[in-house]
Amino acid sequence: MTHISPDPEPERTPGLEPGGGVPPGETPPAESSMPETLPRGTHNPTKGWAKAPLTVIIVVTVLIAAFFLAYALVLIL
């Protein structure tokens, strides 16, 4: 990986006056980013639900629905 200098080169930067000043109406050079200072992004969390918790939630929901359906049938009869 090559090192990227955060300082602009005054000889090659357009819009700079001698001494590094910026004339009125001119946009100053932007700060450069330093990608080599960032931590390496190796953590990729999984997206979505795991199979076991999702299965438990579905089974519990079906059991509760069956209970209320049976309770309604007992009340009607």
Side-chain angles (χ1 to χ4, degrees), residues 8 13-30:
T13 305
L16 288 181
E17 293 179 336
V22 180
E26 185 73 32
T27 304

Side-chain angles (χ1 to χ4, degrees), residues 1-9 32-38:
M1 181 184 289
T2 61
H3 176 70
I4 301 171
S5 174
D7 297 326
E9 295 180 25
S32 65
S33 63
M34 296 176 59
E36 64 270 4
T37 62
L38 298 176

